[in-house]
Amino acid sequence: MDEIDRLLLTLIQREFPLSERPYVEIAEKAGVTESEAIARIEAMREEGLIRRMGASLNPRALGYVSTLAAARVAPGRVDSVANYINRFNEITHNYERDDEFNVWFTVIARDEAVVAAIIDDIRKHSGADEVIDLPATHIFKIKVNFDLTK
Amino acid sequence: MEFSEKEIRLLRALQEDLPVRERPYADLAARAGMSEAEALEIARRWNASGIIRRMGAFIRHRKAGVKANGMVVWDVPEERVEEAGRAMSERDCVSHCYARPRSDKWPFRLYTMIHGATEDEVREQARMVSEELRVENFRILFSLRELKKSDTKLFMEEDR
């Protein structure tokens, strides 16, 4: 990845235009031609640096409800508890973390009752010792693009 | 919120992978069964109203050199949640900042994702935030393992 690649990758994360020829604008800002910008970005995608091109939708604006939950799981049981949790389509992220609460997962669904039922099911049947539900009371910041030019 | 069948097809298509070529939205429109102009017009409207949070590339951070991140949780007194949440959000190294309920099992009230080149850099950033905002009780929870990560797909067949 050279400097132009880094700039391109920063630009397409930040302000990808909703216009007929988005790469024209991107290329101009990076000082390359449209076809060079496309070739470089396609190469970064093939390398796996770019996971996806598309939209991130705002679940709340679309009426979805989500939460973060933390489970305290005995060290030897993390895999089996994770298998139980991960079967739900509504669970999108799940991480093992180094804390007494060691399994952290997000639940997202069309309404509150579904989220509550999933948390309840996991509490009763997954094998976790304890599950705490931590729905956001305030969102201060969500930034998912990174400046790679620094 | 009600969407037409056509709009739902567009919402689905927007969550798929767009090809990297001159007119990526022509492909998007074809998938949604509408003209490119119509797809762009609706997408612009959704972008302005906040239904689309962000349009563009999603990267693999580790591969791109944003190597370490930690979830840092903060035990902030109730009357300081707002002020501390805003102050933490102003920092470049903080990508996410949420307030979540406190409980007797878990005293933490603010949640941040802090990014850095190394785990030590994340620790250093957290220490600086702690000092500057005078929040002494905090914990850094590094992830040991990704157990599941899927793109959040909304308005798919199975949940309708």
Side-chain angles (χ1 to χ4, degrees):
Chain A
M1 227 189 354
D2 63 13
E3 242 167 76
I4 293 170
D5 282 341
R6 288 181 168 275
L7 179 55
L8 285 170
L9 201 48
T10 303
L11 289 170
I12 61 175
Q13 286 184 84
R14 194 185 287 158
E15 45 195 330
F16 193 74
L18 280 160
S19 60
E20 280 79 5
R21 301 273 291 269
Y23 292 104
V24 170
E25 219 173 290
I26 297 287
E28 250 166 47
K29 285 183 181 152
V32 295
T33 63
E34 182 192 24
S35 60
E36 185 178 353
I38 288 174
R40 282 171 173 269
I41 291 165
E42 183 57 30
M44 288 191 280
R45 193 234 287 277
E46 273 163 27
E47 253 176 79
L49 277 165
I50 298 170
R51 191 159 58 81
R52 182 171 76 89
M53 293 291 301
S56 156
L57 302 179
N58 178 348
R60 284 184 182 226
L62 292 163
Y64 279 75
V65 180
S66 65
T67 194
L68 173 73
R72 190 156 51 77
V73 178
R77 285 159 84 176
V78 171
D79 284 315
S80 76
V81 170
N83 283 339
Y84 190 91
I85 292 172
N86 292 349
R87 288 177 319 146
F88 294 97
N89 281 331
E90 291 85 352
I91 311 279
T92 54
H93 296 69
N94 189 1
Y95 293 93
E96 182 180 6
R97 296 190 180 277
D98 56 348
D99 193 88
E100 51 174 315
F101 282 92
N102 50 349
V103 174
W104 290 75
F105 56 95
T106 53
V107 191
I108 178 159
R110 293 299 280 276
D111 63 77
E112 207 133 356
V114 175
V115 173
I118 289 170
I119 298 275
D120 193 50
D121 183 316
I122 289 169
R123 198 171 265 147
K124 285 182 181 140
H125 306 298
S126 69
D129 294 326
E130 192 157 5
V131 177
I132 46 177
D133 183 12
L134 301 161
T137 59
H138 192 130
I139 298 175
F140 292 101
K141 183 178 190 180
I142 301 177
K143 185 194 88 166
V144 283
N145 51 325
F146 289 88
D147 187 347
L148 303 169
T149 59
K150 284 180 186 165
Chain B
M1 193 168 315
E2 289 302 317
F3 291 99
S4 68
E5 283 303 311
K6 204 187 224 181
E7 287 174 323
I8 288 169
R9 287 200 304 272
L10 184 60
L11 282 170
R12 286 181 187 149
L14 279 166
Q15 298 173 86
E16 302 292 324
D17 198 13
L18 287 178
V20 180
R21 62 172 75 125
E22 282 85 358
R23 298 177 72 159
Y25 299 115
D27 285 66
L28 175 81
R31 270 182 237 171
M34 60 179 78
S35 71
E36 184 188 20
E38 190 178 8
L40 276 169
E41 192 240 299
I42 300 172
R44 284 189 200 115
R45 181 155 46 81
W46 286 344
N47 196 42
S49 71
I51 285 176
I52 294 177
R53 188 183 276 157
R54 186 169 69 85
M55 189 72 216
F58 295 83
I59 65 170
R60 288 199 176 83
H61 301 125
R62 278 167 212 269
K63 278 207 159 194
V66 186
K67 301 219 185 279
N69 68 75
M71 183 174 80
V72 187
V73 295
W74 307 86
D75 178 2
V76 177
E78 209 49 42
E79 66 277 10
R80 289 196 57 208
V81 169
E82 189 78 30
E83 163 238 321
R86 284 178 202 281
M88 288 176 191
S89 300
E90 277 168 20
R91 294 175 174 258
D92 273 345
C93 65
V94 172
S95 65
H96 296 67
C97 181
Y98 289 58
R100 300 185 181 279
R102 196 193 313 271
S103 71
D104 49 350
K105 290 159 198 151
W106 192 251
F108 304 100
R109 186 74 167 85
L110 283 178
Y111 290 65
T112 52
M113 286 303 302
I114 296 188
H115 299 257
T118 62
E119 290 198 349
D120 275 341
E121 204 177 295
V122 173
R123 287 188 190 96
E124 178 59 19
Q125 293 285 0
R127 195 191 56 76
M128 278 163 50
V129 172
S130 164
E131 268 180 21
E132 281 171 34
L133 299 181
R134 290 163 293 107
V135 181
E136 272 146 41
N137 189 21
F138 71 94
R139 267 193 223 174
I140 307 177
L141 288 80
F142 287 108
S143 79
L144 301 175
R145 204 155 39 119
E146 187 179 283
L147 301 168
K148 183 176 186 180
K149 183 171 182 178
S150 60
D151 278 317
T152 308
K153 290 275 173 77
L154 310 177
F155 288 91
M156 294 295 134
E157 300 293 352
E158 64 267 20
D159 56 24
R160 286 185 66 78

mmCIF file of all heavy atoms in Angstrom, chain B residues 47-77:
data_model
loop_
_atom_site.group_PDB
_atom_site.id
_atom_site.type_symbol
_atom_site.label_atom_id
_atom_site.label_comp_id
_atom_site.label_asym_id
_atom_site.label_seq_id
_atom_site.Cartn_x
_atom_site.Cartn_y
_atom_site.Cartn_z
ATOM 1 N N ASN B 47 -29.770 9.033 2.753
ATOM 2 C CA ASN B 47 -28.488 9.489 3.288
ATOM 3 C C ASN B 47 -28.689 10.785 4.079
ATOM 4 O O ASN B 47 -28.135 10.961 5.161
ATOM 5 C CB ASN B 47 -27.515 9.708 2.123
ATOM 6 C CG ASN B 47 -26.075 9.808 2.572
ATOM 7 O OD1 ASN B 47 -25.643 9.042 3.436
ATOM 8 N ND2 ASN B 47 -25.341 10.756 2.029
ATOM 9 N N ALA B 48 -29.524 11.668 3.555
ATOM 10 C CA ALA B 48 -29.786 12.949 4.226
ATOM 11 C C ALA B 48 -30.596 12.748 5.502
ATOM 12 O O ALA B 48 -30.381 13.437 6.501
ATOM 13 C CB ALA B 48 -30.514 13.895 3.270
ATOM 14 N N SER B 49 -31.512 11.780 5.485
ATOM 15 C CA SER B 49 -32.384 11.605 6.661
ATOM 16 C C SER B 49 -31.756 10.703 7.728
ATOM 17 O O SER B 49 -32.319 10.537 8.811
ATOM 18 C CB SER B 49 -33.737 11.036 6.228
ATOM 19 O OG SER B 49 -33.573 9.683 5.839
ATOM 20 N N GLY B 50 -30.606 10.118 7.432
ATOM 21 C CA GLY B 50 -29.936 9.308 8.446
ATOM 22 C C GLY B 50 -30.263 7.829 8.401
ATOM 23 O O GLY B 50 -29.763 7.049 9.217
ATOM 24 N N ILE B 51 -31.095 7.410 7.450
ATOM 25 C CA ILE B 51 -31.360 5.965 7.304
ATOM 26 C C ILE B 51 -30.090 5.268 6.830
ATOM 27 O O ILE B 51 -29.735 4.190 7.295
ATOM 28 C CB ILE B 51 -32.544 5.735 6.343
ATOM 29 C CG1 ILE B 51 -33.851 6.095 7.074
ATOM 30 C CG2 ILE B 51 -32.562 4.296 5.825
ATOM 31 C CD1 ILE B 51 -35.087 6.000 6.219
ATOM 32 N N ILE B 52 -29.393 5.918 5.887
ATOM 33 C CA ILE B 52 -28.051 5.446 5.529
ATOM 34 C C ILE B 52 -27.075 6.160 6.453
ATOM 35 O O ILE B 52 -26.996 7.379 6.475
ATOM 36 C CB ILE B 52 -27.708 5.739 4.055
ATOM 37 C CG1 ILE B 52 -28.620 4.920 3.138
ATOM 38 C CG2 ILE B 52 -26.231 5.441 3.780
ATOM 39 C CD1 ILE B 52 -28.406 5.185 1.656
ATOM 40 N N ARG B 53 -26.373 5.370 7.245
ATOM 41 C CA ARG B 53 -25.426 5.952 8.196
ATOM 42 C C ARG B 53 -24.151 6.347 7.474
ATOM 43 O O ARG B 53 -23.569 7.388 7.725
ATOM 44 C CB ARG B 53 -25.131 4.917 9.280
ATOM 45 C CG ARG B 53 -24.312 5.442 10.423
ATOM 46 C CD ARG B 53 -24.021 4.339 11.405
ATOM 47 N NE ARG B 53 -25.090 4.138 12.353
ATOM 48 C CZ ARG B 53 -25.306 3.011 13.017
ATOM 49 N NH1 ARG B 53 -24.534 1.966 12.802
ATOM 50 N NH2 ARG B 53 -26.272 2.911 13.884
ATOM 51 N N ARG B 54 -23.725 5.475 6.585
ATOM 52 C CA ARG B 54 -22.508 5.773 5.834
ATOM 53 C C ARG B 54 -22.500 4.965 4.552
ATOM 54 O O ARG B 54 -22.905 3.810 4.530
ATOM 55 C CB ARG B 54 -21.273 5.397 6.656
ATOM 56 C CG ARG B 54 -19.976 5.817 6.008
ATOM 57 C CD ARG B 54 -18.814 5.677 6.978
ATOM 58 N NE ARG B 54 -18.486 4.297 7.292
ATOM 59 C CZ ARG B 54 -17.685 3.553 6.535
ATOM 60 N NH1 ARG B 54 -17.150 4.014 5.441
ATOM 61 N NH2 ARG B 54 -17.431 2.311 6.872
ATOM 62 N N MET B 55 -22.027 5.600 3.487
ATOM 63 C CA MET B 55 -21.899 4.925 2.200
ATOM 64 C C MET B 55 -20.421 4.804 1.908
ATOM 65 O O MET B 55 -19.681 5.756 2.108
ATOM 66 C CB MET B 55 -22.579 5.828 1.150
ATOM 67 C CG MET B 55 -22.741 5.206 -0.206
ATOM 68 S SD MET B 55 -24.028 3.933 -0.136
ATOM 69 C CE MET B 55 -23.303 2.772 -1.278
ATOM 70 N N GLY B 56 -19.987 3.648 1.466
ATOM 71 C CA GLY B 56 -18.583 3.543 1.083
ATOM 72 C C GLY B 56 -17.950 2.225 1.441
ATOM 73 O O GLY B 56 -18.624 1.192 1.488
ATOM 74 N N ALA B 57 -16.644 2.283 1.718
ATOM 75 C CA ALA B 57 -15.871 1.061 1.929
ATOM 76 C C ALA B 57 -15.858 0.653 3.389
ATOM 77 O O ALA B 57 -15.803 1.494 4.284
ATOM 78 C CB ALA B 57 -14.434 1.271 1.451
ATOM 79 N N PHE B 58 -15.929 -0.638 3.608
ATOM 80 C CA PHE B 58 -15.719 -1.209 4.942
ATOM 81 C C PHE B 58 -14.436 -2.003 4.866
ATOM 82 O O PHE B 58 -14.290 -2.862 4.013
ATOM 83 C CB PHE B 58 -16.918 -2.078 5.335
ATOM 84 C CG PHE B 58 -18.153 -1.242 5.469
ATOM 85 C CD1 PHE B 58 -18.906 -0.915 4.350
ATOM 86 C CD2 PHE B 58 -18.499 -0.697 6.689
ATOM 87 C CE1 PHE B 58 -20.003 -0.073 4.458
ATOM 88 C CE2 PHE B 58 -19.594 0.146 6.806
ATOM 89 C CZ PHE B 58 -20.353 0.451 5.686
ATOM 90 N N ILE B 59 -13.511 -1.669 5.758
ATOM 91 C CA ILE B 59 -12.176 -2.260 5.620
ATOM 92 C C ILE B 59 -11.908 -3.286 6.706
ATOM 93 O O ILE B 59 -12.611 -3.347 7.705
ATOM 94 C CB ILE B 59 -11.072 -1.163 5.631
ATOM 95 C CG1 ILE B 59 -11.020 -0.446 6.988
ATOM 96 C CG2 ILE B 59 -11.303 -0.156 4.515
ATOM 97 C CD1 ILE B 59 -9.801 0.454 7.135
ATOM 98 N N ARG B 60 -10.911 -4.110 6.462
ATOM 99 C CA ARG B 60 -10.426 -5.019 7.505
ATOM 100 C C ARG B 60 -9.316 -4.281 8.234
ATOM 101 O O ARG B 60 -8.219 -4.118 7.710
ATOM 102 C CB ARG B 60 -9.905 -6.322 6.894
ATOM 103 C CG ARG B 60 -11.017 -7.197 6.369
ATOM 104 C CD ARG B 60 -10.578 -8.648 6.182
ATOM 105 N NE ARG B 60 -11.704 -9.472 5.770
ATOM 106 C CZ ARG B 60 -12.119 -9.572 4.504
ATOM 107 N NH1 ARG B 60 -11.477 -8.956 3.546
ATOM 108 N NH2 ARG B 60 -13.164 -10.320 4.216
ATOM 109 N N HIS B 61 -9.650 -3.820 9.453
ATOM 110 C CA HIS B 61 -8.744 -2.905 10.144
ATOM 111 C C HIS B 61 -7.369 -3.491 10.375
ATOM 112 O O HIS B 61 -6.368 -2.826 10.205
ATOM 113 C CB HIS B 61 -9.348 -2.481 11.477
ATOM 114 C CG HIS B 61 -10.647 -1.805 11.294
ATOM 115 N ND1 HIS B 61 -11.789 -2.202 11.912
ATOM 116 C CD2 HIS B 61 -10.997 -0.767 10.505
ATOM 117 C CE1 HIS B 61 -12.779 -1.433 11.529
ATOM 118 N NE2 HIS B 61 -12.329 -0.559 10.677
ATOM 119 N N ARG B 62 -7.340 -4.736 10.753
ATOM 120 C CA ARG B 62 -6.045 -5.336 11.068
ATOM 121 C C ARG B 62 -5.139 -5.336 9.858
ATOM 122 O O ARG B 62 -3.962 -4.998 9.926
ATOM 123 C CB ARG B 62 -6.219 -6.755 11.608
ATOM 124 C CG ARG B 62 -6.555 -6.744 13.077
ATOM 125 C CD ARG B 62 -7.038 -8.094 13.568
ATOM 126 N NE ARG B 62 -8.002 -7.918 14.640
ATOM 127 C CZ ARG B 62 -7.694 -7.862 15.923
ATOM 128 N NH1 ARG B 62 -6.449 -8.005 16.310
ATOM 129 N NH2 ARG B 62 -8.614 -7.684 16.830
ATOM 130 N N LYS B 63 -5.730 -5.674 8.706
ATOM 131 C CA LYS B 63 -4.934 -5.692 7.472
ATOM 132 C C LYS B 63 -4.493 -4.290 7.080
ATOM 133 O O LYS B 63 -3.453 -4.106 6.470
ATOM 134 C CB LYS B 63 -5.758 -6.290 6.330
ATOM 135 C CG LYS B 63 -5.749 -7.797 6.323
ATOM 136 C CD LYS B 63 -5.970 -8.309 4.915
ATOM 137 C CE LYS B 63 -5.450 -9.733 4.802
ATOM 138 N NZ LYS B 63 -5.327 -10.148 3.414
ATOM 139 N N ALA B 64 -5.319 -3.290 7.392
ATOM 140 C CA ALA B 64 -5.007 -1.921 6.976
ATOM 141 C C ALA B 64 -4.111 -1.209 7.982
ATOM 142 O O ALA B 64 -3.813 -0.041 7.833
ATOM 143 C CB ALA B 64 -6.292 -1.134 6.764
ATOM 144 N N GLY B 65 -3.692 -1.896 9.041
ATOM 145 C CA GLY B 65 -2.726 -1.319 9.971
ATOM 146 C C GLY B 65 -3.329 -0.671 11.202
ATOM 147 O O GLY B 65 -2.612 -0.091 11.999
ATOM 148 N N VAL B 66 -4.669 -0.723 11.344
ATOM 149 C CA VAL B 66 -5.284 -0.259 12.591
ATOM 150 C C VAL B 66 -5.377 -1.514 13.451
ATOM 151 O O VAL B 66 -6.364 -2.226 13.420
ATOM 152 C CB VAL B 66 -6.684 0.347 12.349
ATOM 153 C CG1 VAL B 66 -7.242 0.955 13.631
ATOM 154 C CG2 VAL B 66 -6.617 1.413 11.271
ATOM 155 N N LYS B 67 -4.305 -1.813 14.175
ATOM 156 C CA LYS B 67 -4.117 -3.183 14.625
ATOM 157 C C LYS B 67 -4.797 -3.526 15.945
ATOM 158 O O LYS B 67 -5.284 -4.627 16.129
ATOM 159 C CB LYS B 67 -2.618 -3.501 14.724
ATOM 160 C CG LYS B 67 -1.936 -3.309 13.400
ATOM 161 C CD LYS B 67 -0.890 -4.370 13.148
ATOM 162 C CE LYS B 67 -0.117 -4.118 11.859
ATOM 163 N NZ LYS B 67 -0.810 -4.558 10.657
ATOM 164 N N ALA B 68 -4.793 -2.597 16.873
ATOM 165 C CA ALA B 68 -5.294 -2.965 18.201
ATOM 166 C C ALA B 68 -6.501 -2.124 18.568
ATOM 167 O O ALA B 68 -6.600 -0.955 18.202
ATOM 168 C CB ALA B 68 -4.195 -2.757 19.243
ATOM 169 N N ASN B 69 -7.439 -2.743 19.240
ATOM 170 C CA ASN B 69 -8.523 -1.954 19.817
ATOM 171 C C ASN B 69 -8.969 -2.601 21.109
ATOM 172 O O ASN B 69 -8.842 -3.803 21.300
ATOM 173 C CB ASN B 69 -9.683 -1.787 18.837
ATOM 174 C CG ASN B 69 -10.400 -3.081 18.577
ATOM 175 O OD1 ASN B 69 -11.156 -3.566 19.401
ATOM 176 N ND2 ASN B 69 -10.145 -3.666 17.411
ATOM 177 N N GLY B 70 -9.446 -1.763 21.991
ATOM 178 C CA GLY B 70 -9.933 -2.270 23.263
ATOM 179 C C GLY B 70 -11.251 -1.609 23.601
ATOM 180 O O GLY B 70 -11.466 -0.437 23.281
ATOM 181 N N MET B 71 -12.137 -2.377 24.227
ATOM 182 C CA MET B 71 -13.350 -1.775 24.745
ATOM 183 C C MET B 71 -13.000 -1.257 26.137
ATOM 184 O O MET B 71 -12.604 -2.036 26.999
ATOM 185 C CB MET B 71 -14.477 -2.814 24.809
ATOM 186 C CG MET B 71 -15.792 -2.214 25.278
ATOM 187 S SD MET B 71 -17.154 -3.388 25.182
ATOM 188 C CE MET B 71 -16.858 -4.340 26.663
ATOM 189 N N VAL B 72 -13.093 0.043 26.309
ATOM 190 C CA VAL B 72 -12.742 0.631 27.599
ATOM 191 C C VAL B 72 -14.030 1.092 28.273
ATOM 192 O O VAL B 72 -14.807 1.843 27.688
ATOM 193 C CB VAL B 72 -11.759 1.801 27.443
ATOM 194 C CG1 VAL B 72 -11.275 2.278 28.806
ATOM 195 C CG2 VAL B 72 -10.578 1.389 26.569
ATOM 196 N N VAL B 73 -14.268 0.580 29.471
ATOM 197 C CA VAL B 73 -15.504 0.901 30.193
ATOM 198 C C VAL B 73 -15.155 1.773 31.395
ATOM 199 O O VAL B 73 -14.134 1.586 32.045
ATOM 200 C CB VAL B 73 -16.255 -0.389 30.626
ATOM 201 C CG1 VAL B 73 -16.718 -1.149 29.393
ATOM 202 C CG2 VAL B 73 -15.406 -1.283 31.513
ATOM 203 N N TRP B 74 -16.019 2.768 31.658
ATOM 204 C CA TRP B 74 -15.702 3.822 32.619
ATOM 205 C C TRP B 74 -16.792 3.928 33.670
ATOM 206 O O TRP B 74 -17.965 4.004 33.334
ATOM 207 C CB TRP B 74 -15.587 5.160 31.893
ATOM 208 C CG TRP B 74 -14.656 5.153 30.725
ATOM 209 C CD1 TRP B 74 -14.959 4.780 29.440
ATOM 210 C CD2 TRP B 74 -13.266 5.510 30.724
ATOM 211 N NE1 TRP B 74 -13.841 4.901 28.637
ATOM 212 C CE2 TRP B 74 -12.796 5.342 29.400
ATOM 213 C CE3 TRP B 74 -12.384 5.961 31.721
ATOM 214 C CZ2 TRP B 74 -11.470 5.614 29.038
ATOM 215 C CZ3 TRP B 74 -11.069 6.228 31.352
ATOM 216 C CH2 TRP B 74 -10.617 6.051 30.039
ATOM 217 N N ASP B 75 -16.376 3.980 34.912
ATOM 218 C CA ASP B 75 -17.298 4.187 36.026
ATOM 219 C C ASP B 75 -17.384 5.699 36.282
ATOM 220 O O ASP B 75 -16.599 6.247 37.044
ATOM 221 C CB ASP B 75 -16.764 3.425 37.255
ATOM 222 C CG ASP B 75 -17.635 3.624 38.488
ATOM 223 O OD1 ASP B 75 -18.676 4.308 38.395
ATOM 224 O OD2 ASP B 75 -17.249 3.095 39.550
ATOM 225 N N VAL B 76 -18.314 6.320 35.587
ATOM 226 C CA VAL B 76 -18.466 7.776 35.657
ATOM 227 C C VAL B 76 -19.675 8.097 36.533
ATOM 228 O O VAL B 76 -20.725 7.499 36.360
ATOM 229 C CB VAL B 76 -18.686 8.351 34.231
ATOM 230 C CG1 VAL B 76 -18.912 9.845 34.273
ATOM 231 C CG2 VAL B 76 -17.526 7.995 33.327
ATOM 232 N N PRO B 77 -19.527 9.023 37.472
ATOM 233 C CA PRO B 77 -20.681 9.379 38.291
ATOM 234 C C PRO B 77 -21.827 9.902 37.423
ATOM 235 O O PRO B 77 -21.591 10.543 36.395
ATOM 236 C CB PRO B 77 -20.169 10.480 39.225
ATOM 237 C CG PRO B 77 -18.765 10.749 38.848
ATOM 238 C CD PRO B 77 -18.325 9.765 37.824
#
